[in-house]
Amino acid sequence: MRVPFIDLKRIVDPIRQQVIEDWTNCLENCEFVGGAGVQKLEKTLMQRLESSHVVSCANGTDALVIGLQALGVGPGMKVAVPNMTFWAPFEAIVQVGATPVLVDINPDDLQMDFDEFRRGHREHHFDAAILVHLFGWTSAALASFRSFCRSEGITLLEDGAQSYGVRAGGESVYTAAQLSTISFYPAKVLGAAGDAGAIMSPDPKVAEKVRALCNHGRAGHYTYDYVGWNSRMSGAQAHFLLRMIEQVDGLIASRRVAEDYYYNHFEALSKHCRVFKAPSGVTGNGYLIVIESLKQTGDELAAKLRDLKIGCARTYPQTLCEQGPAQNALRTSDLKHSQRFSRMVINLPLFGGITLEECRMAAESLEEAFGQ
Ligand SMILES: Cc1ncc(COP(=O)(O)O)c(C=O)c1O
């Protein structure tokens, strides 16, 4: 590949020596599950995510399942979820025994559509919803989602797996959420050396329940208040994440520079594509460059980019309703926006530490692919 879609080695190399020392200390102290590193990470995340309670867990999918359970979502309840997202929110709803209801995206911000959500509620009477902050920004209607859910008694979980560093209305997207989650999958803006995640809530009682659920529902060592899970973070992951946090602001800055480069480059190619950016009032984190092709399909462009040795992705090439286990799921419309967008989307390389020369090569290659 002339330009990789992602290069994790580039962001691990600068912290390699410190991580080796931290992991050696973990071995010396047998700091394996939980411990001082995990406690320090949770405190650091409280400041970084601007959330009053942070509970670390094993991954972002567990965070969703446990978050739903902590909020009392279970069998017989209907949970709205955007039709275009990663599969995990759908899985989490089904895993807690609830019923997913698929909602289309807004074609301008690519997040769950607020008007369709509101109309869908009249028909389906949602008990809960998962609002997913996708692609490195959030819905232009975030405040409306929150106030509508509050006034209608709809439990709202916000999936912030991809949104470390995203701000809306002047505050971190995690601050005012009833309950939010994050994933530290290695390719995320803040990534671990394996799977890891966390759950945030401003409510100390909810956070206490989340902490118990992540640890078998424990009340004491051998007493249990809930039927929970084993979803705890290891010391090694926490120390790795603490080192990553030391450099994450620089990584986000380089992502934003690259995002701006792509945005400016493709603005002049509006007959071939549309490039998406955070809506006004939202500060994005440069997680993904999302390009909607207007003529060729995403698959056609991806094949041409591969021939030109440019890494690329299609996030997401199929929507939830097109997946076997979701084919008969309830829905609020024909879900046409999300299904159409999924056929046309293409993502170019964008990662912490990417150079402008790499962006130039990728952008010019896509331009060449448009012309072929
Ligand atoms: C939107 C979204 N939700 C949930 C997850 C699940 O997180 P994890 O892979 O840490 O389980 C991911 C990513 O991987 C994601 O992108």
Side-chain angles (χ1 to χ4, degrees):
M1 279 290 160
R2 287 193 298 146
V3 186
F5 180 66
I6 185 168
D7 183 2
L8 289 181
K9 197 168 176 317
R10 206 176 297 188
I11 63 176
V12 170
D13 276 348
I15 58 169
R16 173 191 301 268
Q17 210 42 51
Q18 295 102 309
V19 169
I20 289 171
E21 283 161 29
D22 292 342
W23 284 359
T24 305
N25 289 334
C26 281
L27 280 176
E28 292 289 334
N29 302 327
C30 297
E31 186 187 334
F32 297 133
V33 178
V38 171
Q39 280 170 21
K40 184 170 173 200
L41 175 70
E42 290 181 351
K43 274 217 175 90
T44 307
L45 287 172
M46 280 164 63
Q47 290 160 4
R48 288 284 179 148
L49 304 178
E50 298 172 24
S51 179
S52 39
H53 302 278
V54 175
V55 180
S56 56
C57 68
N59 57 66
T61 307
D62 281 8
L64 292 170
V65 175
I66 291 165
L68 287 174
Q69 192 180 345
L71 292 172
V73 178
M77 292 188 173
K78 284 186 183 170
V79 185
V81 64
N83 186 44
M84 190 176 73
T85 178
F86 184 57
W87 183 236
F90 187 92
E91 279 179 304
I93 295 165
V94 175
Q95 296 291 11
V96 299
T99 304
V101 185
L102 305 176
V103 181
D104 210 355
I105 57 162
N106 179 304
D108 289 324
D109 66 15
L110 307 178
Q111 318 285 307
M112 182 151 71
D113 185 75
F114 178 62
D115 289 334
E116 181 164 322
F117 175 75
R118 205 167 34 180
R119 280 197 305 275
H121 179 54
R122 269 188 239 128
E123 183 190 345
H124 293 280
H125 308 288
F126 303 136
D127 298 287
I130 298 184
L131 182 62
V132 186
H133 307 312
L134 269 187
F135 301 144
W137 60 85
T138 183
S139 167
L142 176 61
S144 305
F145 270 110
R146 286 176 176 166
S147 65
F148 181 76
C149 287
R150 215 175 302 118
S151 67
E152 293 291 314
I154 302 169
T155 297
L156 182 62
L157 187 155
E158 298 184 25
D159 180 348
Q162 307 178 357
S163 50
Y164 180 94
V166 173
R167 302 182 73 76
E171 65 181 17
S172 160
V173 77
Y174 300 96
T175 304
Q178 185 180 357
L179 185 145
S180 59
T181 61
I182 188 167
S183 161
F184 302 121
Y185 180 73
K188 295 287 188 258
V189 168
L190 175 62
D195 282 311
I199 302 161
M200 283 62 66
S201 176
D203 183 335
K205 286 218 169 74
V206 171
E208 201 179 308
K209 185 170 177 188
V210 164
R211 194 171 288 286
L213 287 171
C214 288
N215 189 14
H216 296 287
R218 273 195 164 109
H221 194 64
Y222 286 127
T223 52
Y224 309 92
D225 279 343
Y226 312 100
V227 174
W229 310 84
N230 178 357
S231 188
R232 300 172 300 212
M233 191 182 280
S234 70
Q237 286 306 359
H239 284 286
F240 183 90
L241 280 164
L242 282 164
R243 291 296 177 193
M244 222 18 131
I245 286 171
E246 289 174 10
Q247 61 165 358
V248 74
D249 292 345
L251 298 175
I252 291 175
S254 69
R255 283 175 176 276
R256 288 181 178 143
V257 169
E259 184 189 28
D260 280 346
Y261 177 89
Y262 284 133
Y263 195 78
N264 293 332
H265 186 99
F266 289 108
E267 223 175 5
L269 296 171
S270 59
K271 67 175 193 306
H272 288 289
C273 67
R274 177 177 178 189
V275 186
F276 288 81
K277 252 199 161 178
S280 114
V282 176
T283 310
N285 62 10
Y287 177 59
L288 268 184
I289 188 77
V290 183
I291 301 172
E292 179 185 10
S293 165
L294 302 179
K295 294 177 184 159
Q296 300 178 56
T297 64
D299 282 342
E300 285 165 344
L301 290 170
K304 290 177 183 175
L305 285 171
R306 266 194 298 276
D307 288 347
L308 294 166
K309 303 223 173 322
I310 300 295
C312 65
R314 302 225 316 100
T315 313
Y316 295 95
Q318 283 190 327
T319 61
L320 299 188
C321 71
E322 294 163 273
Q323 312 297 335
Q327 261 168 20
N328 297 320
L330 295 173
R331 55 199 68 192
T332 50
S333 72
D334 58 6
L335 307 171
K336 66 172 190 283
H337 294 302
S338 43
Q339 291 183 75
R340 202 195 62 77
F341 179 84
S342 287
R343 278 197 301 281
M344 306 309 275
V345 66
I346 185 93
N347 312 106
L348 288 180
L350 184 58
F351 51 88
I354 191 171
T355 65
L356 284 181
E357 176 57 11
E358 288 171 319
C359 295
R360 188 188 60 75
M361 282 196 276
E364 288 177 0
S365 299
L366 181 57
E367 195 176 335
E368 190 181 327
F370 283 146
Q372 284 171 356

